[in-house]
Amino acid sequence: MSEIKVTINGKEYTGKSGQSILEFAGVNGIEIPNLCHDPRLIPSGSCRLCLVEVEGQKGPVCACTFQINPGMVVKTETEEIRAIRKTVLELLFYEHRGVCTTCDENGDCKLQRYAYEYQLSDDIFQQPTGGERSENYTTGNKALEYDVDKCIRCGRCIRICEEVQADSALTFKSRAASVEVTTSFDIPLNDSTCELCGQCISSCPTGALYERAAKGKGQCKDLSRTRTTCPYCGVGCQIDLNINPKTEGIVRVTSEVGCIPNDGNLCVKGRFGLDFIDSDKRLTDPLIKRDGKFEKVTWEEAIKFVAERLNRIRSEFGADSIAGLSSAKCTNEDNYVFQKFIRACIGTNNVDHCARLCHASTVAGLARAFGSGAMTNSIDELKNAGCIFVIGSNTTEAHPVIGLYVKEAVMKNGAELVVADPRKIDLVRFAKLYIAQKPGTDVALINAMMNVIIDEDLHDKAFIEERTEDFEKLKPILKDFTPEKAEAITTVPAEKIRAAARMYAKAETASIIYSMGITQHTTGTENVLSLANLAMLTGNIGKASAGVNPLRGQNNVQGACDLGALPNVYPGYQSVEDAELQAKFESAWGQKLSAQKGLTVIEIMHAIEEDKIKALYIMGENPALSDPNLNRTRKALEKVDFLVSQEIFLSETAEYADVVLPTVCFAEKDGTFTNTERRVQRVRKAVAPPGQARSDWEIICEVATKMGYPMSYEDAEEIMDEIATVTPIYGGMSFERIDSVGLQWPCPDKEHPGTRFLHEGTFKRGKGKFHPVEFTAADELPDKKYPFVLSTGRQLYQFHTGTMTRKSAVINQVSPTGYVEIHTDDAAGLKIRDGENVEVITRRGKVTTPAKVTDNIEKGWLFMPFHFREAPANMLTNDALDPTAKIPEYKVCAAAVSKTRQPD
Amino acid sequence: MDLKEGSLSLEPLDNILASIPDAGDCDLIPILQKIQEAYGYLPPSVLAATSDRTGIAASRIYGVATFYEQFYLEPHGRHTIKCCRGTACHVKSGRDIIRAISRALGVQEGETTDDMRFTFETVACLGTCFLAPVMMVNDDYYGHLAPNKVKDILERYD
Ligand code: SF4
Ligand code: SF4
Ligand code: SF4
Ligand code: FES
Ligand code: FES
């Protein structure tokens, strides 16, 4: 892009070719009025309000569609232009009915602003028509409300739904004066292709589209906004909590166009899933269980009770009889303090968290291959990738906003998308090639792809030579792994495997995206190693828009790992078994530390059975619903001598606890989360906590102090400063530096700008290492008694155990309960009708849930989301572990399904 | 609106789509015209199936189908009557003509006769006020109408 000089209103500015006049003027602080423009959209030039004068052009031109060129002379505020704009506005008010005094958008409405600026007369405001016209596609919908009277037909809602969200749920219907926005055939919004992302609301320039629940709760002009980070998935969208200072309640959630990483876009959870914050089910007081019943106690009593019990257990059974589960939902500061408490105060390395259940295999696999177990690239690099290979990630549902970048790459930039997933997930719509591999056969698929790449000489010899080692060890394994051999294992036609291999290998830049479909297997680490092999083989690593990108599930699972909530490493992945590092932390924390690595999540549960773990301290996790083989987990929770749960709700797990300590949620505290692209971002306090609830790190500090290891911090910022001193990858982090935009680690010092993508020039471990991987089958395969393969996973509307999402009225409307997906033919064979209750049975348990009959799953396979306590998929899942990473095999187990016998 | 059920056969649709390989957004108008030819109107269940089969968004199809006057989303008669209810016609007792048509056909404004012979619509102004009161049948104008002429005129169409 070359530089261009353009004169606006008599002053010269420099811009880039390809910019529109509107964009260019905006960058230089000159505002041109506009209504149909949104930087996220292709300019449509339909409202005609942005007219400007360009020297040499006959009439006025639309600034939003007209591109700048060298020497251009633009006038934006001539009398003539202003007169035309005024007429345009007056015409709009023939369509717009309604008055600002009662409109929620008051204060944030462009139409209102321009009406004032252009001094339209008062009688231009018409009374709303009401009556029949108020029935529309949003009638009865709990998320959105469309008010046709306030609609100016700019089409932004329709365009953003099509161009950005790629859902095309909306359209204009009819013509002339009766034009209005609607869904296809006017069906209710929730029956359409809508995903309730609310992008349409975010783009609407008037009050025509609004969050239904926010109506009447405070006008925009009176709301204050606090920028913070979404508490759900690892994308780490920046959200603005809009607070009404009078009621101190959160009225709506918005996001600023242009913000990183989500550019003003959100998904249904971030925009509509925050009702839980002021739910009346929040815990407000510390509770101690006496005679099987919880009793409210004071903080003093609770802390004393916990400290004394823990001290007693430690002196009787030793420090290793105590374990802690930290939390991927909590802040970096909470996690740091928690693991420090377990290591320095209790004196054991028995600390882990739910990353064990999602990406332990990533951390283990990528660390071996590259030296660092995180997403190699940045989210926004995806949109420029030549090829994207999505395997075992239902991106649009589990990481919706990253899904938008993938769609953009395909729709706008022509990327080739290859999707490999046992289910026909939504991304398949955009894929050039779709592969439905049998669950648990990924290694076979990837090995065969590499076989093709070598066979057809598509590998990057220079890269392999310069940057990697052990390529020689890889070759023999691949030699006989032909696509035909893989076809027999994966059921994917050999030709498709060849096509996928070519597409991936031939692209200039190819990005791999993967998630739980790869990691949650007994072969999880091997699956990850295979992907690392594939990337190194083609030189697709260490550069922009390429790489190996595990999408992290929780808002702060990256941070919890980074800050050492793992049994084998201190903060910053520094090994507890390394004497030098141990000494470093001993001096930093002023305490002797254990040199022995601790137990992992599932091992802790099993150690309880063996009487080796006597006390378990859980911060913000819900293993009673999230762990595999729940019957076994729940028995362990019942058995353990002393269980502490720090929670925002009385979760399934908290119910087993001896002591429950009420904590504040993300909206009530300061701190940081680290998103999946290693970006450390601020979490800011926006509202007051309920009752006596306190922040996690404060509670931990008090318990530690009471136990005899004094811990105290002024605020979260002080904790981050301590983190920076002991954690090299966070060395340059500070609240000040990440205030407006986060910073991506590694960021070793205060001058370092952060790292967009990893392994440039050299790998963290020096050379990238190939690991030959043989295919091994899943732990439990279908047989006569259990003929189906059952997989579990997430769904767009819910998050994990539903503790938070299921408090949202909007979400309950679209996703009221669980289900099991079954193929149409299998259902027919078993005489199961759509929506009918069925029993799903495995060797570990039985669950009754409605059947969802679909063609989006292959024959012989079943799928269940795991969010629902009334249909807990994890009663069924297998707790067999990956030997290296100790991650359980959530994605494959053998199951039977049958109609529920109805009692007559 | 029931978009899934419906006793309508999708065979005509399949034939239409077979004649337009790789149909995309730009083929939409010809596709809709052919569907209307085959079914007499644009049945929503057939449009929904069109979206499934071609990948053209259902919302887009609906938008186009409601934008053009030539398309009908409800069963439509072989002939279309458009009777004017504009100001000029109203002054010249246009109301009586509307009533006469209703009586002759046994249907109200906006409805179609059971034998699918006529669909009866009224419009704001036909742009030929000098002929008031006016009605149109298909492309033919009938001006300076009187209620007793209506029946004869309609009998010319079968
Ligand atoms: S909420 Fe999202 S998917 Fe639904 S209509 Fe609006 S933009 Fe489209
Ligand atoms: S609802 Fe809003 S965004 Fe959509 S057309 Fe109307 S004014 Fe524009
Ligand atoms: S994509 Fe993830 S981070 Fe963004 S709003 Fe949705 S749940 Fe929150
Ligand atoms: S903003 Fe340019 S025409 Fe609407
Ligand atoms: S009013 Fe009837 S034709 Fe104009």
Side-chain angles (χ1 to χ4, degrees), chain A residues 4 64 77 206 209 298-299 311 329 340 360 377-378 385 397 450 509 512 521 537 554 633 755 830 876:
Chain A
I4 292 182
C64 67
E77 296 294 323
T206 72
L209 267 175
T298 62
W299 270 112
N311 267 338
K329 281 246 131 342
K340 181 175 170 182
N377 294 59
S378 295
E397 299 211 33
M450 291 193 283
T509 50
I512 296 171
H521 292 280
L537 186 65
Q554 297 262 17
T633 307
T755 307
L830 294 163
L876 307 169

mmCIF file of all heavy atoms in Angstrom, chain A residues 4 64 77 206 209 298-299 311 329 340 360 377-378 385 397 450 509 512 521 537 554 633 755 830 876:
data_model
loop_
_atom_site.group_PDB
_atom_site.id
_atom_site.type_symbol
_atom_site.label_atom_id
_atom_site.label_comp_id
_atom_site.label_asym_id
_atom_site.label_seq_id
_atom_site.Cartn_x
_atom_site.Cartn_y
_atom_site.Cartn_z
ATOM 1 N N ILE A 4 -0.368 8.285 0.138
ATOM 2 C CA ILE A 4 -1.088 9.205 -0.734
ATOM 3 C C ILE A 4 -1.334 10.498 0.022
ATOM 4 O O ILE A 4 -1.661 10.462 1.211
ATOM 5 C CB ILE A 4 -2.460 8.590 -1.101
ATOM 6 C CG1 ILE A 4 -2.262 7.380 -1.996
ATOM 7 C CG2 ILE A 4 -3.355 9.607 -1.770
ATOM 8 C CD1 ILE A 4 -3.572 6.777 -2.423
ATOM 9 N N CYS A 64 -18.185 6.945 1.890
ATOM 10 C CA CYS A 64 -17.924 5.592 2.385
ATOM 11 C C CYS A 64 -17.542 4.632 1.274
ATOM 12 O O CYS A 64 -16.909 3.615 1.526
ATOM 13 C CB CYS A 64 -19.122 5.053 3.157
ATOM 14 S SG CYS A 64 -20.578 4.773 2.154
ATOM 15 N N GLU A 77 -17.809 19.966 4.461
ATOM 16 C CA GLU A 77 -18.821 20.754 5.181
ATOM 17 C C GLU A 77 -19.302 21.984 4.401
ATOM 18 O O GLU A 77 -19.593 23.008 5.006
ATOM 19 C CB GLU A 77 -18.270 21.201 6.541
ATOM 20 C CG GLU A 77 -17.944 20.065 7.512
ATOM 21 C CD GLU A 77 -19.161 19.281 7.981
ATOM 22 O OE1 GLU A 77 -20.232 19.883 8.183
ATOM 23 O OE2 GLU A 77 -19.031 18.043 8.107
ATOM 24 N N THR A 206 -29.612 3.000 15.270
ATOM 25 C CA THR A 206 -30.718 3.612 16.001
ATOM 26 C C THR A 206 -31.189 2.672 17.106
ATOM 27 O O THR A 206 -30.569 1.647 17.359
ATOM 28 C CB THR A 206 -31.927 3.871 15.077
ATOM 29 O OG1 THR A 206 -32.524 2.607 14.782
ATOM 30 C CG2 THR A 206 -31.513 4.538 13.785
ATOM 31 N N LEU A 209 -33.042 -1.906 16.969
ATOM 32 C CA LEU A 209 -32.714 -3.227 17.491
ATOM 33 C C LEU A 209 -32.078 -3.032 18.856
ATOM 34 O O LEU A 209 -31.133 -2.260 19.001
ATOM 35 C CB LEU A 209 -31.717 -3.933 16.575
ATOM 36 C CG LEU A 209 -32.293 -4.838 15.509
ATOM 37 C CD1 LEU A 209 -31.189 -5.352 14.610
ATOM 38 C CD2 LEU A 209 -33.045 -6.010 16.132
ATOM 39 N N THR A 298 -19.381 -16.660 60.246
ATOM 40 C CA THR A 298 -18.628 -15.447 59.924
ATOM 41 C C THR A 298 -17.348 -15.858 59.188
ATOM 42 O O THR A 298 -16.908 -17.013 59.254
ATOM 43 C CB THR A 298 -18.208 -14.685 61.192
ATOM 44 O OG1 THR A 298 -17.347 -15.547 61.947
ATOM 45 C CG2 THR A 298 -19.419 -14.292 62.021
ATOM 46 N N TRP A 299 -16.742 -14.878 58.529
ATOM 47 C CA TRP A 299 -15.479 -15.159 57.844
ATOM 48 C C TRP A 299 -14.440 -15.643 58.834
ATOM 49 O O TRP A 299 -13.677 -16.576 58.568
ATOM 50 C CB TRP A 299 -14.970 -13.901 57.123
ATOM 51 C CG TRP A 299 -15.492 -13.813 55.716
ATOM 52 C CD1 TRP A 299 -16.369 -12.897 55.226
ATOM 53 C CD2 TRP A 299 -15.152 -14.683 54.632
ATOM 54 N NE1 TRP A 299 -16.610 -13.144 53.903
ATOM 55 C CE2 TRP A 299 -15.868 -14.238 53.507
ATOM 56 C CE3 TRP A 299 -14.331 -15.792 54.499
ATOM 57 C CZ2 TRP A 299 -15.785 -14.849 52.258
ATOM 58 C CZ3 TRP A 299 -14.247 -16.427 53.259
ATOM 59 C CH2 TRP A 299 -14.960 -15.961 52.163
ATOM 60 N N ASN A 311 -4.095 -27.710 58.981
ATOM 61 C CA ASN A 311 -2.886 -27.898 59.792
ATOM 62 C C ASN A 311 -2.859 -29.269 60.457
ATOM 63 O O ASN A 311 -1.839 -29.940 60.488
ATOM 64 C CB ASN A 311 -2.798 -26.804 60.871
ATOM 65 C CG ASN A 311 -1.983 -25.616 60.388
ATOM 66 O OD1 ASN A 311 -1.163 -25.765 59.456
ATOM 67 N ND2 ASN A 311 -2.208 -24.452 60.968
ATOM 68 N N LYS A 329 -11.092 -20.497 35.576
ATOM 69 C CA LYS A 329 -12.054 -19.396 35.512
ATOM 70 C C LYS A 329 -11.542 -18.180 36.274
ATOM 71 O O LYS A 329 -11.975 -17.067 36.042
ATOM 72 C CB LYS A 329 -13.407 -19.830 36.114
ATOM 73 C CG LYS A 329 -14.235 -20.659 35.151
ATOM 74 C CD LYS A 329 -15.492 -19.922 34.761
ATOM 75 C CE LYS A 329 -15.874 -19.814 33.323
ATOM 76 N NZ LYS A 329 -15.014 -20.018 32.226
ATOM 77 N N LYS A 340 0.926 -20.775 44.986
ATOM 78 C CA LYS A 340 1.936 -20.406 45.987
ATOM 79 C C LYS A 340 1.514 -20.920 47.364
ATOM 80 O O LYS A 340 2.331 -21.449 48.128
ATOM 81 C CB LYS A 340 2.096 -18.877 46.003
ATOM 82 C CG LYS A 340 3.138 -18.357 46.981
ATOM 83 C CD LYS A 340 3.317 -16.843 46.830
ATOM 84 C CE LYS A 340 4.172 -16.268 47.964
ATOM 85 N NZ LYS A 340 4.306 -14.800 47.867
ATOM 86 N N ALA A 360 -3.952 -30.775 28.532
ATOM 87 C CA ALA A 360 -2.718 -31.290 29.113
ATOM 88 C C ALA A 360 -1.859 -31.903 28.019
ATOM 89 O O ALA A 360 -0.635 -31.776 28.009
ATOM 90 C CB ALA A 360 -3.042 -32.336 30.166
ATOM 91 N N ASN A 377 0.325 -18.792 17.080
ATOM 92 C CA ASN A 377 0.074 -17.545 16.360
ATOM 93 C C ASN A 377 -1.020 -16.708 17.005
ATOM 94 O O ASN A 377 -1.606 -17.113 17.999
ATOM 95 C CB ASN A 377 -0.304 -17.873 14.912
ATOM 96 C CG ASN A 377 0.857 -18.488 14.158
ATOM 97 O OD1 ASN A 377 1.370 -19.524 14.559
ATOM 98 N ND2 ASN A 377 1.290 -17.833 13.107
ATOM 99 N N SER A 378 -1.277 -15.544 16.418
ATOM 100 C CA SER A 378 -2.320 -14.680 16.948
ATOM 101 C C SER A 378 -3.629 -14.927 16.208
ATOM 102 O O SER A 378 -3.623 -15.345 15.047
ATOM 103 C CB SER A 378 -1.944 -13.209 16.759
ATOM 104 O OG SER A 378 -0.810 -12.921 17.515
ATOM 105 N N ALA A 385 -4.419 -16.547 6.397
ATOM 106 C CA ALA A 385 -3.810 -17.845 6.096
ATOM 107 C C ALA A 385 -4.257 -18.325 4.719
ATOM 108 O O ALA A 385 -5.398 -18.114 4.317
ATOM 109 C CB ALA A 385 -4.204 -18.860 7.164
ATOM 110 N N GLU A 397 -18.781 -23.039 17.504
ATOM 111 C CA GLU A 397 -19.577 -23.187 18.723
ATOM 112 C C GLU A 397 -18.747 -23.001 19.978
ATOM 113 O O GLU A 397 -19.199 -22.404 20.949
ATOM 114 C CB GLU A 397 -20.255 -24.563 18.767
ATOM 115 C CG GLU A 397 -21.206 -24.750 17.606
ATOM 116 C CD GLU A 397 -22.402 -25.635 17.931
ATOM 117 O OE1 GLU A 397 -22.875 -25.629 19.079
ATOM 118 O OE2 GLU A 397 -22.861 -26.329 17.011
ATOM 119 N N MET A 450 1.006 -37.145 5.885
ATOM 120 C CA MET A 450 2.452 -36.926 5.781
ATOM 121 C C MET A 450 3.076 -37.892 4.779
ATOM 122 O O MET A 450 4.008 -37.530 4.053
ATOM 123 C CB MET A 450 3.108 -37.058 7.158
ATOM 124 C CG MET A 450 2.713 -35.902 8.087
ATOM 125 S SD MET A 450 3.721 -35.783 9.560
ATOM 126 C CE MET A 450 3.030 -37.098 10.538
ATOM 127 N N THR A 509 0.896 -20.221 3.333
ATOM 128 C CA THR A 509 0.854 -20.298 4.792
ATOM 129 C C THR A 509 -0.324 -21.180 5.181
ATOM 130 O O THR A 509 -1.430 -20.980 4.700
ATOM 131 C CB THR A 509 0.617 -18.910 5.437
ATOM 132 O OG1 THR A 509 -0.501 -18.295 4.789
ATOM 133 C CG2 THR A 509 1.825 -18.012 5.299
ATOM 134 N N ILE A 512 -2.921 -24.686 11.410
ATOM 135 C CA ILE A 512 -3.701 -25.782 11.988
ATOM 136 C C ILE A 512 -4.457 -25.220 13.191
ATOM 137 O O ILE A 512 -3.886 -24.496 14.002
ATOM 138 C CB ILE A 512 -2.778 -26.922 12.470
ATOM 139 C CG1 ILE A 512 -2.031 -27.535 11.278
ATOM 140 C CG2 ILE A 512 -3.582 -27.978 13.217
ATOM 141 C CD1 ILE A 512 -0.950 -28.515 11.686
ATOM 142 N N HIS A 521 -8.029 -37.673 24.392
ATOM 143 C CA HIS A 521 -7.910 -39.074 24.034
ATOM 144 C C HIS A 521 -6.785 -39.696 24.855
ATOM 145 O O HIS A 521 -5.887 -38.985 25.304
ATOM 146 C CB HIS A 521 -7.553 -39.221 22.550
ATOM 147 C CG HIS A 521 -8.649 -38.800 21.619
ATOM 148 N ND1 HIS A 521 -9.716 -39.603 21.315
ATOM 149 C CD2 HIS A 521 -8.840 -37.653 20.950
ATOM 150 C CE1 HIS A 521 -10.529 -38.967 20.478
ATOM 151 N NE2 HIS A 521 -10.013 -37.770 20.250
ATOM 152 N N LEU A 537 7.024 -30.527 8.943
ATOM 153 C CA LEU A 537 7.323 -31.175 7.663
ATOM 154 C C LEU A 537 7.149 -30.204 6.499
ATOM 155 O O LEU A 537 7.836 -30.284 5.483
ATOM 156 C CB LEU A 537 6.382 -32.375 7.496
ATOM 157 C CG LEU A 537 6.578 -33.292 6.303
ATOM 158 C CD1 LEU A 537 7.913 -34.008 6.408
ATOM 159 C CD2 LEU A 537 5.448 -34.316 6.236
ATOM 160 N N GLN A 554 -11.177 -22.413 28.357
ATOM 161 C CA GLN A 554 -11.675 -21.479 29.358
ATOM 162 C C GLN A 554 -11.056 -20.108 29.172
ATOM 163 O O GLN A 554 -9.945 -19.979 28.682
ATOM 164 C CB GLN A 554 -11.302 -21.982 30.750
ATOM 165 C CG GLN A 554 -11.935 -23.307 31.098
ATOM 166 C CD GLN A 554 -13.178 -23.131 31.924
ATOM 167 O OE1 GLN A 554 -13.753 -22.049 31.982
ATOM 168 N NE2 GLN A 554 -13.618 -24.197 32.552
ATOM 169 N N THR A 633 -15.996 -40.215 40.541
ATOM 170 C CA THR A 633 -15.562 -38.917 41.062
ATOM 171 C C THR A 633 -16.386 -38.516 42.278
ATOM 172 O O THR A 633 -15.862 -38.054 43.291
ATOM 173 C CB THR A 633 -15.739 -37.833 39.983
ATOM 174 O OG1 THR A 633 -15.075 -38.271 38.808
ATOM 175 C CG2 THR A 633 -15.196 -36.507 40.436
ATOM 176 N N THR A 755 4.860 -10.886 21.969
ATOM 177 C CA THR A 755 5.204 -11.767 20.857
ATOM 178 C C THR A 755 3.953 -12.192 20.106
ATOM 179 O O THR A 755 3.090 -12.856 20.662
ATOM 180 C CB THR A 755 5.946 -13.012 21.382
ATOM 181 O OG1 THR A 755 7.035 -12.568 22.186
ATOM 182 C CG2 THR A 755 6.465 -13.865 20.243
ATOM 183 N N LEU A 830 -33.801 -48.315 15.622
ATOM 184 C CA LEU A 830 -34.171 -48.524 17.020
ATOM 185 C C LEU A 830 -35.557 -47.956 17.328
ATOM 186 O O LEU A 830 -35.970 -47.896 18.479
ATOM 187 C CB LEU A 830 -33.134 -47.864 17.936
ATOM 188 C CG LEU A 830 -31.738 -48.483 17.888
ATOM 189 C CD1 LEU A 830 -30.694 -47.546 18.468
ATOM 190 C CD2 LEU A 830 -31.733 -49.805 18.648
ATOM 191 N N LEU A 876 -21.111 -41.183 31.822
ATOM 192 C CA LEU A 876 -20.879 -42.225 30.832
ATOM 193 C C LEU A 876 -19.427 -42.319 30.389
ATOM 194 O O LEU A 876 -18.945 -43.372 29.992
ATOM 195 C CB LEU A 876 -21.745 -41.945 29.596
ATOM 196 C CG LEU A 876 -23.228 -41.747 29.885
ATOM 197 C CD1 LEU A 876 -23.953 -41.222 28.651
ATOM 198 C CD2 LEU A 876 -23.843 -43.069 30.341
#
